Amino acid sequence: MSSPVVTRFAPSPTGYLHIGGGRTALFNWAYARHTGGKMLLRIEDTDRERSTAEAIDAIIEGLTWLGLDWAGEPVSQYGRAERHRQVAEELLAQGKAYRCYCTPEELEAMRAKAEAEKRPIRYDGTWRDRTPSEAPAGVKPAIRFKAPQQGETVIEDAVQGRVVIPNKDLDDLIILRSDGNPTYNLSVVVDDHDMGVTHIIRGVDHLTNAARQIQIYRAMGWRVPHMSHIPLIHGPDGAKLSKRHGALGVEAYRAMGYLPEAMRNYLARLSWSHGDDEIFSTEQLVEWFDLDAIGKSAARFDFAKLENLNGHYIRHMPDDKLLMSFIDFLPHAEGGKAMKAKIDEAMMAKLLRALPGLKERAKTLVELKNGAQFLFAERPLPMDDKAQQIIKDGGAEVLAGVVPVLAQVSNWHAHDLETAVKSHAEAAGLKLGKVAQPLRAALTGASTSPGIFDVLEVLGREESLARLRDQASS
RNA sequence: GCGCCCUUCGUCUAUCGGUUAGGACGACAGCCUUUCACGUUGUAAAGACGGGUUCGACUCCCGUAGGGCGCGCCA
């Protein structure tokens, strides 16, 4: 029996949880679930300049919205700095690291020179073999890892396969800054080791870091975790979906009206697949998810497909559940707070009754919100351009004819209303559409809506007749 | 510049040497229809290029081109 799987999601809190991070978290989560293991959350906050408490909150909220959870409390990497320092000292004591007295300015000059001469940009090992006695006075040293210079470092990656990096291309990285703070590559290794992480699943942008980290694991005599470097998500143009290029935080997707279940389904299908399966539940994802089905090429983010998937989830969600999702969504939508304030028991009932007709027409919760607008509107109803046109083009007269008919319907239900309107249309020699559109315009203020008889029923007799009379010619 | 990775319809992908290269989104067309949708039927649409290996390559190897990632006292 092998030990239980431990994965981790380790974002740096320098901004919101972007969509690529969300998928990395999803893969870690799904793999942990699939194997009966657990996922840990570690906040990589060692960069004190850029890490913020707001970002931590945004990440946690984003993960929570996505429906991803983790075992235990989030770990602060910065909080473990003392331990990282100890490891750096240990490496130093063992001769596997050394003090480097180069100043940042010198290093910058070194890089500039290398670039100008079109040489690989690498630390030249100035202090690798010098003795501390040669140290310049007044310069605080950083500690560098003494990386092997010959041979190669092999990454056995579940996704990338066997990746071989020549050691000559990996220079001596700083593991402890001159101010005594550990750097990323050291902290990651120490934390993953101490936290018992068995499987590292992260973006391929960390692939070369993996090589350096493996060298540190070796130097410490620690076991190297299983690694999976997953492809990045690109924008529609093929370029990296970076923060600078319009990459959005998961909260933006929430505001755009996407359902977490749809996001999970969509994200799961980026660089991962299970045969021809396109739409599947999170339970199925957990059941099916495995590392060997992850592809190596980057995927482009496609809003059209996300939207299609989202529409599917909206349509198939039970009405009561959808209503709850809708109400939870409202505060995040434009003008949604005002709508939410209007939701009382009666409105809940109306929404629930209207939802079957509404959800067929909505691909996002924003569209659902817009579609439901007519339920919240108050007389006199605001009318959009098309609706006004319908009323003007003879609609008002049609309404004048049909209102008395509707007023006589004793049982105000869709079926009876339909019977009444249809026979009226027939008697008047009008096609049903000629009657339905004016009704729709007057009732909803728009030219599109759910089935008109359902609209009449949901609005109720009094409100319906009042709205119709507002627009009927006298 | 150096290193690593990638390349099947516009997009996401299936294919693990032998298929009429399949599915999904999107597009287009038809049907349904009180609007818009939904639903449904159908159509168009792909192995980057060039060499090998093989009886046989989308699949294996090499090269070319294009793309991505990395090369901080950032993570």
Side-chain angles (χ1 to χ4, degrees):
Chain A
M1 278 301 284
S2 53
S3 54
V5 166
V6 178
T7 67
R8 65 10 173 226
F9 178 56
S12 61
T14 54
Y16 42 63
L17 172 65
H18 65 92
I19 204 67
R23 189 192 51 157
T24 299
L26 176 66
F27 279 19
N28 274 285
W29 181 86
Y31 187 65
R33 282 260 170 141
H34 174 77
T35 55
K38 61 183 178 181
M39 177 176 92
L40 271 21
L41 176 63
R42 184 174 68 231
I43 306 295
E44 313 238 306
D45 52 357
T46 54
D47 185 339
R48 304 316 291 166
E49 305 275 307
R50 297 195 295 160
S51 298
T52 66
E54 295 75 55
I56 294 175
D57 291 344
I59 288 165
I60 288 176
E61 198 179 331
L63 289 173
T64 304
W65 176 71
L66 268 178
L68 307 182
D69 55 1
W70 53 91
E73 289 300 305
V75 173
S76 161
Q77 187 160 65
Y78 180 68
R80 296 178 34 82
E82 191 49 46
R83 162 69 174 150
H84 304 154
R85 269 189 284 276
Q86 284 171 11
V87 173
E89 292 297 337
E90 193 176 329
L91 252 10
L92 192 61
Q94 291 180 24
K96 291 169 178 168
Y98 60 92
R99 292 190 176 84
C100 170
Y101 293 87
C102 287
T103 64
E105 293 72 35
E106 288 173 316
L107 294 173
E108 184 47 48
M110 196 184 292
R111 271 191 290 274
K113 188 157 177 271
E115 195 170 356
E117 294 172 6
K118 304 212 181 234
R119 285 196 342 264
I121 302 162
R122 240 161 263 141
Y123 175 66
D124 63 7
T126 305
W127 288 92
R128 185 176 169 109
D129 297 309
R130 288 168 83 170
T131 62
S133 61
E134 299 175 75
V139 176
K140 278 202 166 175
I143 296 181
R144 282 185 188 269
F145 179 68
K146 197 179 270 186
Q149 294 176 308
Q150 254 88 56
E152 46 203 22
T153 295
V154 178
I155 306 161
E156 296 290 356
D157 195 283
V159 171
Q160 301 295 327
R162 183 186 162 90
V163 179
V164 181
I165 312 271
N167 285 338
K168 65 176 172 55
D169 295 321
L170 268 14
D171 58 5
D172 293 345
L173 78 176
I174 288 174
I175 53 177
L176 203 67
R177 297 181 176 95
S178 50
D179 67 2
N181 283 126
T183 60
Y184 169 76
N185 279 300
L186 202 231
S187 299
V188 168
V189 170
V190 176
D191 287 349
D192 283 336
H193 172 264
D194 289 0
M195 292 164 76
V197 171
T198 61
H199 293 255
I200 294 173
I201 302 170
R202 77 233 295 190
V204 265
D205 48 337
H206 285 288
L207 194 61
T208 35
N209 284 329
R212 328 186 89 121
Q213 290 166 16
I214 284 170
Q215 295 178 343
I216 297 175
Y217 278 106
R218 297 256 164 75
M220 289 303 294
W222 290 341
R223 185 166 173 206
V224 180
H226 294 273
M227 293 189 173
S228 300
H229 288 89
I230 66 179
L232 304 179
I233 298 173
H234 288 176
D237 59 349
K240 186 185 177 183
L241 195 62
S242 68
K243 288 168 191 169
R244 295 125 200 126
H245 297 108
L248 302 163
V250 294
E251 77 286 343
Y253 291 88
R254 168 165 61 184
M256 285 185 280
Y258 295 108
L259 256 14
E261 31 278 270
M263 285 306 286
R264 269 179 257 136
N265 195 155
Y266 177 70
L267 255 18
R269 286 287 290 100
L270 259 28
S271 294
W272 178 83
S273 63
H274 183 263
D276 281 339
D277 294 306
E278 294 288 348
I279 294 173
F280 41 81
S281 67
T282 299
E283 289 68 35
Q284 286 171 308
L285 169 64
V286 167
E287 185 187 334
W288 296 336
F289 189 81
D290 210 345
L291 270 14
D292 56 19
I294 301 175
K296 293 165 89 168
S297 43
R300 297 185 188 199
F301 196 88
D302 181 13
F303 271 103
K305 188 157 182 179
L306 204 212
E307 199 156 287
N308 169 274
L309 222 37
N310 203 56
H312 174 91
Y313 278 91
I314 285 180
R315 269 177 265 125
H316 289 82
M317 189 177 276
D319 294 332
D320 53 344
K321 192 164 175 248
L322 180 58
L323 182 57
M324 288 306 138
S325 293
F326 178 66
I327 292 171
D328 288 344
F329 153 78
L330 244 23
H332 302 278
E334 199 178 326
K337 284 188 179 134
M339 273 174 99
K340 188 167 181 176
K342 284 190 179 179
I343 296 180
D344 55 12
E345 199 104 345
M347 184 56 85
M348 289 275 277
K350 276 195 208 176
L351 281 167
L352 210 47
R353 173 65 187 84
L355 226 34
L358 251 19
K359 70 183 186 181
E360 287 296 317
R361 295 163 172 78
K363 290 206 269 301
T364 64
L365 293 177
V366 170
E367 290 180 7
L368 193 65
K369 183 199 73 166
N370 294 339
Q373 203 73 53
F374 76 90
L375 290 173
F376 292 81
E378 287 165 21
R379 296 173 50 218
L381 222 53
M383 309 273 283
D384 70 22
D385 292 348
K386 284 181 184 167
Q388 284 180 32
Q389 198 61 43
I390 290 168
I391 298 299
K392 250 171 46 186
D393 294 347
E397 290 68 35
V398 171
L399 290 177
V402 77
V403 164
V405 175
L406 286 171
Q408 298 216 340
V409 175
S410 53
N411 190 12
W412 197 265
H413 287 291
H415 179 76
D416 290 22
L417 292 162
E418 180 168 357
T419 307
V421 171
K422 276 189 173 165
S423 61
H424 167 74
E426 208 169 318
L430 292 168
K431 290 184 76 172
L432 186 51
K434 287 288 175 196
V435 182
Q437 279 307 83
L439 284 174
R440 194 182 319 278
L443 254 15
T444 69
S447 58
T448 68
S449 81
I452 200 62
F453 305 112
D454 289 324
V455 169
L456 279 164
E457 183 186 317
V458 174
L459 248 20
R461 176 190 202 101
E462 199 182 334
E463 179 69 18
S464 295
L465 291 174
R467 289 187 184 189
L468 294 175
R469 284 178 180 130
D470 286 346
Q471 303 300 332
S473 62
S474 45

